[in-house]
């Protein structure tokens, strides 16, 4: 058993109006009310952050943004900065494969975003993961290692220890396909934690919480969470209904009693 508190985060992506978000978070709040051993995080769209945070003002559920821009302010139409999120969110997802692939975000941007968030007391949830082609070509380890190294460039060991990393094989996102729990554990443990150990030492590597993401759902969460190096899940589709998301948090909590 390690000291890492499991963290289950629901990434709502571009779903839910403000009213729908409020309904969903009320249901999640009542469903996980007494669960303290597992950290529950929700990631609503920007426009619903305030309303969701208000519902959660006396709750232990944490709130995350789904993206941030790395500059503090200025002529960046449509973007949201870390100072705007400070005090509103605890976490922020960066480098999600949808942002990398649809919006062209580079490793360099992910690194700048991580620095911007940390400077404002927000914990980055850094997403990494290989494509189907890379997976089939046997390039997963080298590609993920390089993504992790680039994302962490210039961070100190304390900053790295505070991070959350999400390993999300792109071919498993929204497809119903999941990496086998053993394979996900191997990439998370040997490749991601191994890269951090090489860069910052074993203590730092053992402190970082690393989630699995990609078609995580109630039916596979227990098997995933039983893996020694998997510390949580970043959940897309199955986080959009309170029942299934709460079920995943509850099943995880049963493993950590
Ligand atoms: P999914 O998405 O659970 O719908 O596969 C996961 C994610 O993209 O974070």
């Amino acid at each position: 058993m390690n000291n890492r508190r499991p963290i289950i985060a629901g990434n709502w992506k571009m779903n839910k109006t403000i009213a729908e978000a409020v309904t969903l978070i009320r249901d999640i709040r009542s469903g996980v009310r007494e669960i303290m051993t597992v950290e529950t995080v929700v990631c609503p769209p920007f426009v619903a952050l305030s309303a969701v945070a208000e519902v959660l003002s006396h709750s232990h559920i944490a709130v995350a943004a789904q993206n941030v821009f790395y500059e503090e302010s200025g002529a960046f139409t449509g973007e949201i900065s870390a100072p705007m999120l400070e005090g509103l969110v605890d976490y922020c997802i960066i480098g999600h494969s949808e942002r990398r692939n649809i919006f062209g975000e580079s490793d360099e941007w992910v690194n700048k975003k991580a620095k911007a968030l940390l400077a404002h007391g927000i914990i980055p949830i850094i997403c990494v993961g290989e494509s189907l082609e890379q997976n089939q070509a046997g390039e997963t380890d080298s590609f993920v290692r390089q993504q992790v190294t680039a994302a962490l460039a210039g961070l100190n060991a304390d900053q790295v220890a505070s991070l959350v990393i999400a390993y999300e094989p792109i071919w498993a996102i929204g497809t119903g396909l999941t990496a086998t729990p053993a394979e996900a554990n191997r990439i998370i443990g040997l490749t991601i934690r191994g890269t951090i150990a090489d860069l910052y030492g074993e203590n730092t590597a053992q402190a970082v919480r690393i989630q699995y993401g990609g078609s995580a759902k109630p039916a596979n969460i227990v098997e995933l969470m039983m893996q020694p190096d998997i510390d949580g899940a970043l959940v897309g589709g199955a986080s959009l209904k309170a029942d299934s998301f709460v079920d995943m948090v509850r099943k995880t909590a049963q493993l950590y009693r």
Side-chain angles (χ1 to χ4, degrees):
M1 209 52 171
N2 55 61
N3 292 327
R4 301 185 298 266
R5 187 177 176 213
I7 176 167
I8 306 286
N11 174 11
W12 299 358
K13 306 193 179 181
M14 196 176 74
N15 295 292
K16 307 295 175 187
T17 62
I18 297 175
E20 289 166 346
V22 167
T23 303
L24 177 58
I25 196 57
R26 284 203 179 116
D27 291 343
I28 291 172
R29 185 185 59 179
S30 49
V32 305
R33 195 183 297 278
E34 79 287 12
I35 297 176
M36 300 292 175
T37 48
V38 177
E39 184 168 15
T40 305
V41 184
V42 292
C43 319
F46 281 127
V47 293
L49 282 175
S50 292
V52 167
E54 200 178 313
V55 174
L56 295 178
S57 57
H58 298 293
S59 158
H60 56 274
I61 300 175
V63 180
Q66 298 175 17
N67 185 31
V68 67
F69 192 55
Y70 55 77
E71 294 288 357
E72 297 260 309
S73 64
F76 303 100
T77 302
E79 293 298 315
I80 303 284
S81 70
M84 294 173 184
L85 295 173
E86 187 173 352
L88 184 59
V89 303
D90 310 283
Y91 294 92
C92 179
I93 299 172
I94 53 174
H96 191 281
S97 61
E98 286 150 18
R99 297 234 45 103
R100 293 180 191 257
N101 295 337
I102 305 172
F103 302 100
E105 290 193 9
S106 63
D107 282 331
E108 190 191 343
W109 274 36
V110 175
N111 177 245
K112 286 182 169 175
K113 290 177 177 202
K115 288 175 177 157
L117 291 170
L118 288 164
H120 288 276
I122 300 166
I123 300 174
I125 300 175
I126 302 176
C127 300
V128 298
E130 83 287 359
S131 67
L132 184 61
E133 297 71 39
Q134 289 166 322
N135 184 281
Q136 288 173 342
E139 294 166 5
T140 300
D141 292 83
S142 58
F143 181 71
V144 171
R145 179 169 278 271
Q146 167 264 317
Q147 277 188 321
V148 171
T149 304
L152 304 185
L155 302 189
N156 65 41
D158 286 345
Q159 290 174 320
V160 172
S162 76
L163 294 175
V164 177
I165 297 180
Y167 169 58
E168 302 205 303
I170 297 169
W171 48 271
I173 296 177
T175 58
L177 302 172
T178 26
T180 64
E183 177 64 1
N185 187 68
R186 190 185 71 78
I187 304 296
I188 287 174
L190 288 180
T191 307
I192 300 178
R193 223 179 280 291
T195 302
I196 298 169
D198 291 346
L199 295 169
Y200 294 93
E202 194 58 36
N203 285 349
T204 303
Q206 286 303 323
V208 180
R209 292 185 295 173
I210 310 180
Q211 300 172 307
Y212 168 80
S215 300
K217 50 184 180 277
N220 58 25
I221 190 68
V222 171
E223 228 191 323
L224 287 164
M225 291 306 300
M226 278 170 58
Q227 300 292 324
D229 273 300
I230 299 182
D231 304 317
L234 184 55
V235 186
S239 75
L240 295 175
K241 290 213 165 70
D243 288 358
S244 58
F245 186 64
V246 167
D247 197 19
M248 293 175 80
V249 176
R250 291 188 160 277
K251 286 189 159 113
T252 302
Q254 278 164 11
L255 295 174
Y256 286 82
R257 275 191 298 199

